[in-house]
């Protein structure tokens, strides 16, 4: 049995790391393909180092491009790798363009493909990720869901229940493994100075939030207002960095700290001690729920509804006034209490490895 894992963008790495480790414990031969969708050292290499992942066996070096170009480049380059190796399984993660591209190649080559983090739906087809999720799940042969809503969505879409397994959240496997080290090592570059501070941590990178300079400007205005109460730390995604250059910056920014993207350990250390997290990321909604940290999500919907129904997440929409009001409410102590969804227990990858082992026997 040989398994090829395909990763490409930052949020894939912390999902693939524990799955690979669990499979490797069972002696299963594995190959890691990096599509190169993310290529900057601080968007890619640092995660491999900190997560203890093996270096990719193959890098397709597709880089950035329009959705069509990026997806097509992954498809063309991955096809020849898979034709040569003919693995027993290909594993894809999450909902980025690399995920969709790899799943399509497998479907056409009749190679079995497994999707980790299957079944999540926002219902919002204007998000590229929603299209990636829908199509990937339709062609996948094995679907690992992080929460029960994933199974329900797949059933509704006609996916056979034998293919679907509720395994829990692999990203939480990585978090539980590395949280003690991250907190201990708060001396990480750029993070230690915040150890004893009260701060809000921010990430914004969705095209719908950052590509319109007027809207991005409104959010930055609110962040500057909030920084009167406490420091606002904002590691800036490269997409957002480009757009910020077009924004008229507010006057009061001395307590609003725009930083380069952080490594996994540095970001986790900051997240675990934040008074508030403001984000439009999918994964960070989940991490804050697990950590019990208040989270305001700057989106109208989420494909991770358990973070709202069970966890600490509140959707404020793309609405700067609501963002401001909810943040002040939290600053004044109005914190939503949350719990941890079932199977977010650090053992999701073990369950995946068990299922692969059983699949091979039957
Ligand atoms: C991608 C995913 C998104 C995920 C995000 C996490 C898709 C459709 N989107 O969005 O779901 O939440 O990753 O980060 O797959 N860039 C760099 N250096 C890099 C990578 C990108 O400078 O290493 C810049 C380039 O200008 C590029 C832009 O960021 O054009 C966007 O990169 P891209 O991979 O297309 O999408 P993301 O916005 O990163």
């Amino acid at each position: 049995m040989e398994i090829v894992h395909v990763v490409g963008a930052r949020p894939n790495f912390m999902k693939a790391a524990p799955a690979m480790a669990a499979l490797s414990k069972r002696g299963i031969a594995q190959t890691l393909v990096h599509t190169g969708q993310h290529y900057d050292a601080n968007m890619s290499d640092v995660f491999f180092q900190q997560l203890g992942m093996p270096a990719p066996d193959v890098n397709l070096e597709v880089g950035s491009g329009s959705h069509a170009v990026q997806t097509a480049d992954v498809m063309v380059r991955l096809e020849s790798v898979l034709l040569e190796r003919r693995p027993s399984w290909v594993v894809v993660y999450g909902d980025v363009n690399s995920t969709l591209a790899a799943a399509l190649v497998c479907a056409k080559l009749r190679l079995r493909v497994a999707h980790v983090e299957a079944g999540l739906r926002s219902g919002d087809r204007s998000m590229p990720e929603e299209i990636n999720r829908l199509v990937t799940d339709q062609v996948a042969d094995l679907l690992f869901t992080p929460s029960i809503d994933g199974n329900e969505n797949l059933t509704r879409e006609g996916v056979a229940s034998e293919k679907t397994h509720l395994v829990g959240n692999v990203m939480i496997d990585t978090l539980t493994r590395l949280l003690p080290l991250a907190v201990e090592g708060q001396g990480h570059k750029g993070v230690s100075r915040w150890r004893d501070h009260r701060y809000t941590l921010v990430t914004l990178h969705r095209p719908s939030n950052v590509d319109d300079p007027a809207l991005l400007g409104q959010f930055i205005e609110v962040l500057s207002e909030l920084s009167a109460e406490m420091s606002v730390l904002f590691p800036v995604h490269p997409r957002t960095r480009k757009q910020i250059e077009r924004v008229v910056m507010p006057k009061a920014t001395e307590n609003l700290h725009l930083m380069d993207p952080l490594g996994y350990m540095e970001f986790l250390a900051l997240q675990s001690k934040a008074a508030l997290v403001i984000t439009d990321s999918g994964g960070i909604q989940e991490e804050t729920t697990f950590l019990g940290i208040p989270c305001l999500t700057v989106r109208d919907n989420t494909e991770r509804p358990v973070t709202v129904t069970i966890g600490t997440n509140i959707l404020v929409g793309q609405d700067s006034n609501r963002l401001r009001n909810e943040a002040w409410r939290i600053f004044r102590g109005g914190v939503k209490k949350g719990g941890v969804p079932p199977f977010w227990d650090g053992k999701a990858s073990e369950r995946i490895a068990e299922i692969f082992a059983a699949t091979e026997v039957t």
Side-chain angles (χ1 to χ4, degrees):
M1 182 176 191
E2 188 204 352
I3 295 185
V4 168
H5 302 261
V6 181
V7 295
R10 185 168 63 175
N12 291 158
F13 308 139
M14 50 292 258
K15 296 167 193 164
M20 291 187 75
L23 289 163
S24 133
K25 269 198 216 148
R26 287 173 185 260
I28 294 171
Q30 302 179 76
T31 300
L32 180 58
V33 176
H34 191 324
T35 66
Q37 177 175 346
H38 284 176
Y39 43 85
D40 287 345
N42 60 15
M43 296 294 285
S44 180
D45 301 3
V46 66
F47 291 86
F48 280 75
Q49 289 150 18
Q50 294 189 342
L51 300 173
M53 284 173 83
D57 299 285
V58 180
N59 193 322
L60 304 177
E61 296 182 344
V62 299
S64 303
S66 70
H67 286 270
V69 166
Q70 197 171 55
T71 308
D73 280 353
V74 174
M75 287 184 71
V76 170
R77 296 179 197 191
L78 183 63
E79 183 180 52
S80 50
V81 174
L82 294 181
L83 275 173
E84 196 181 302
R85 294 187 183 252
R86 286 259 158 211
S88 336
W89 283 96
V90 176
V91 185
V92 298
Y93 298 86
D95 56 15
V96 301
N97 284 346
S98 301
T99 311
L100 166 70
L104 283 174
V105 172
C106 295
K108 300 279 182 175
L109 293 179
R110 302 305 305 131
L111 287 172
R112 291 183 296 180
V113 60
H115 184 203
V116 175
E117 201 185 86
L120 298 185
R121 299 289 180 270
S122 65
D124 176 359
R125 292 197 183 190
S126 69
M127 277 181 77
E129 292 81 2
E130 184 75 353
I131 306 301
N132 296 346
R133 293 179 201 116
L134 280 161
V135 178
T136 301
D137 286 342
Q138 277 302 318
V139 300
D141 301 283
L142 199 47
L143 299 95
F144 299 118
T145 64
S147 46
I148 189 71
D149 53 291
N151 298 65
E152 291 162 1
N153 293 330
L154 294 171
T155 302
R156 209 180 38 246
E157 290 167 15
V159 176
S161 60
E162 308 86 77
K163 295 191 205 167
T164 306
H165 300 270
L166 172 54
V167 293
N169 192 325
V170 283
M171 222 182 49
I172 301 300
D173 295 4
T174 296
L175 190 153
T176 50
R177 176 169 70 96
L178 294 176
L179 181 63
L181 282 174
V183 172
E184 234 173 67
Q186 283 219 358
H188 296 300
K189 219 168 48 168
V191 166
S192 55
R193 62 178 286 215
W194 302 108
R195 191 193 294 249
D196 301 318
H197 284 64
R198 203 166 163 246
Y199 55 83
T200 289
L201 181 63
V202 180
T203 78
L204 291 174
H205 75 284
R206 296 270 157 227
S208 53
N209 281 333
V210 305
D211 283 1
D212 171 5
L215 186 62
L216 180 59
Q218 286 174 24
F219 293 136
I220 290 183
E221 185 66 47
V222 172
L223 298 179
S224 141
E225 285 172 41
L226 299 179
S227 73
E229 175 72 10
M230 66 179 76
S231 299
V232 175
L233 315 184
F234 186 176
V236 183
H237 186 282
R239 172 190 285 281
T240 313
R241 177 68 72 183
K242 277 190 191 155
Q243 300 303 332
I244 278 181
E245 286 158 16
R246 299 161 59 202
V247 166
V248 183
M249 290 302 278
K251 285 200 192 77
T253 53
E254 63 278 359
N255 221 8
L256 166 59
H257 301 270
L258 303 188
M259 312 164 162
D260 287 336
L262 294 171
Y264 182 81
M265 299 298 265
E266 289 81 357
F267 191 80
L268 181 56
L270 283 181
Q271 209 180 172
S272 67
K273 297 280 170 66
L276 167 65
V277 172
I278 295 172
T279 193
D280 58 8
S281 145
I284 294 169
Q285 296 172 53
E286 299 183 331
E287 290 172 343
T288 48
T289 274
F290 185 85
L291 294 165
I293 301 291
C295 177
L296 297 178
T297 296
V298 188
R299 285 176 46 189
D300 294 322
N301 47 55
T302 179
E303 63 289 340
R304 291 158 160 97
V306 291
T307 61
V308 176
T309 53
I310 301 178
T312 54
N313 191 17
I314 297 174
L315 300 181
V316 297
Q318 294 183 288
D319 179 341
S320 56
N321 286 325
R322 242 198 108 200
L323 174 63
R324 176 191 297 108
N325 295 341
E326 293 289 341
W328 279 109
R329 204 172 50 74
I330 290 166
F331 290 175
R332 293 192 191 104
V335 171
K336 176 187 174 195
K337 295 265 180 306
V340 176
F343 303 112
W344 292 22
D345 56 1
K347 298 189 178 120
S349 307
E350 288 301 326
R351 295 185 193 104
I352 289 175
E354 224 166 83
I355 292 163
F356 270 116
T359 310
E360 205 52 20
V361 172
T362 52

